[in-house]
Amino acid sequence: MSLAPQHAIIHNNVTEALKKGFEKNWYILGEDLKTFETDYARFTNVRHCLGVGNGYDALSISLQACNVRAGDEVIVPAHTYVATWLAVSKCGAVIVPVEPDPSSMLINVERIEEKITAKTKVILPVHLYGHPCDMTKIQGIASRHSATIIEDNAQAHGAKWNERRTGSFGAINATSFYPTKNLGALGDGGAITTDSDEIADFVRQYRNYGFERKNYCEVEGINSRLDELQASVLSIKLKCLDQWNHERRELADQYIKRLYSVGDIQLPLPRKEALPVYHLFVIRSTKRDMLKAYLDSCQIDTMVHYPLPPHLQKPYASLNLQRGSLPLTEDIAHTCLSLPLWPGMTTSQIDRVCDCIVRFFSR
Ligand SMILES: *Cc1c(COP(=O)(O)O)cnc(C)c1O
């Protein structure tokens, strides 16, 4: 992963914005945040965007906004970044994991309904690796069972399902601007998107100590704000996001063409309703560890997202989800490999990665 090509394009605009931001003597909840919120709401095609401190907070605040309380059940993908689970369990809700569809690695929408009970409050799909979940089916399930949808859109800024942006389907949606995300800040950042005026009002207070006006709390809020400097940088990067996502798709297409039917590789092929944004390009192979070592020896950096599934992490020992209890999720952890992909990566760099992979499987 290299940010250099992206940073080269925006270098002058960003340094100028940072200089202005430094000199204006207003660092929190100011005009730059308002501008970014307006820009990102328009980009996502929702009425409201509220900047917050990071993606985890965006999820936590979303759960509060939906009144999720101890004992309520929240349906989450078993295969996701652990932050999704941490936000849910921290608010006292019961985690109800659903196994992935092995080919898309996204929550298996056919297996959601069997997990729904009278206590199900929220369905929390994650558009993992930049691939949109089947929101048509998820919306159907949620409305049949009066559950609320909260999207975790941290990996999918700009993706579309049926021509509609992810982050616009749920009652409230969370995203992260961690530096390596498709839209990344120069530090921590996050946001909430929603069409509801009421939810937007709640979040606006909740992220700022619950203040209804300065020093007067309406609710028991927290401090989680997106600062002015980050907002000004994000506004600049947002202008490039569609182009950068387009480049990611072109690079991904090149991988797909070259790696089709190489060895036992399973490729991340998008559904026809989906416009993915390839936050990561994740393949699967039963020879993952050997392939990774071979690519290392060719000076090609790959990563594993993620080596240990949430249910096997120490904080979740009490859930009694032993090894073997979520076999499809565990299998992905053993077989997945993220190949290098970033905007500005060259086609000859992709070729070099593919050459090495082909050589590995023909040995
Ligand atoms: C990055 C990420 C988060 C958390 O975002 P932070 O800004 O790091 O707190 C949550 N969910 C998913 C799927 C993520 O990729």
Side-chain angles (χ1 to χ4, degrees), residues 54-56 59 80-81 83-84 126 152 154-155 176 178 181 189 306:
N54 55 67
Y56 170 89
L59 285 165
T80 181
Y81 184 49
T84 316
V126 181
D152 180 340
Q155 301 193 359
S176 160
Y178 183 81
K181 305 275 155 118
Y306 300 91

Side-chain angles (χ1 to χ4, degrees), residues 18 31-32 51 65 76 93 98 140 167 190 202 234 244 311 323 327 334 342-343:
L18 292 176
E31 287 305 315
D32 285 318
V76 296
V98 172
F202 171 85
L234 287 166
W244 287 339
H311 70 282
R323 216 168 270 279
H334 293 132
W342 61 84

Side-chain angles (χ1 to χ4, degrees), residues 127-147:
H127 308 298
L128 201 68
Y129 308 148
H131 289 275
C133 297
D134 183 336
M135 293 311 298
T136 315
K137 289 223 167 114
I138 292 172
Q139 282 181 313
I141 297 164
S143 75
R144 274 200 293 288
H145 301 279
S146 312

